[in-house]
Amino acid sequence: MMAGNEEIRVRLIESLVGYLSGPDDDLRLTAAEALLMSTWDPAWTPRLLIDAGGVVPLVASLSDDAAPVRSAAAQLIRILVQKGELDVVVEAGAQHALEKLQDEPDPVVRTHAAEALQAIQTHKCT
């Protein structure tokens, strides 16, 4: 039964990653928020997102037209860094994309971007 649950989890993450890059605004927002919420699952690991090819689309989402998508992407990047995946997010260009959000008009996005940048800086020093 556990293998079945894991397969479902993997397929769900893969689908959400696909929607994250899609043309539909509502699906991108739903995917970004669902990916963020998935981190609350005790069985979640960064590998689920990384193995699904989700890091590059996640970094791309930092420049999405919708502020909630940018916010969720920044939060997810912070979580990835805090879970030990600094190299993966830096290689995908997250630091530069987050730095561009320092002048973000939306204060929530700006805050989440600053928190993600702080996590990157903190983990680079350790």
Side-chain angles (χ1 to χ4, degrees):
M1 184 68 172
M2 287 300 276
N5 286 342
E6 185 62 22
E7 183 178 336
I8 291 168
R9 184 178 286 113
V10 167
R11 286 185 179 184
L12 176 61
I13 297 293
E14 289 172 349
S15 295
L16 293 171
V17 166
Y19 292 136
L20 198 57
S21 303
D24 185 295
D25 293 346
D26 292 333
L27 283 178
R28 282 197 319 279
L29 176 57
T30 299
E33 290 180 342
L35 285 168
L36 180 58
M37 296 289 287
S38 72
T39 66
W40 295 3
D41 181 345
W44 181 88
T45 70
R47 290 268 39 117
L48 290 168
L49 185 61
I50 294 165
D51 292 348
V55 178
V56 170
L58 182 62
V59 170
S61 295
L62 291 170
S63 59
D64 196 274
D65 290 340
V69 173
R70 296 192 303 276
S71 177
Q75 290 176 79
L76 259 168
I77 288 168
R78 177 186 49 81
I79 291 166
L80 288 172
V81 171
Q82 290 173 334
K83 295 284 187 176
E85 299 297 341
L86 173 68
D87 292 344
V88 174
V89 298
V90 169
E91 287 171 19
Q95 186 168 356
H96 179 67
L98 289 163
E99 287 168 351
K100 290 167 97 176
L101 292 176
Q102 295 303 293
D103 297 325
E104 163 72 37
D106 186 297
V108 174
V109 175
R110 199 169 52 246
T111 297
H112 289 146
E115 290 169 349
L117 271 174
Q118 182 177 12
I120 288 171
Q121 294 303 328
T122 300
H123 283 79
K124 278 185 172 179
C125 295
T126 58

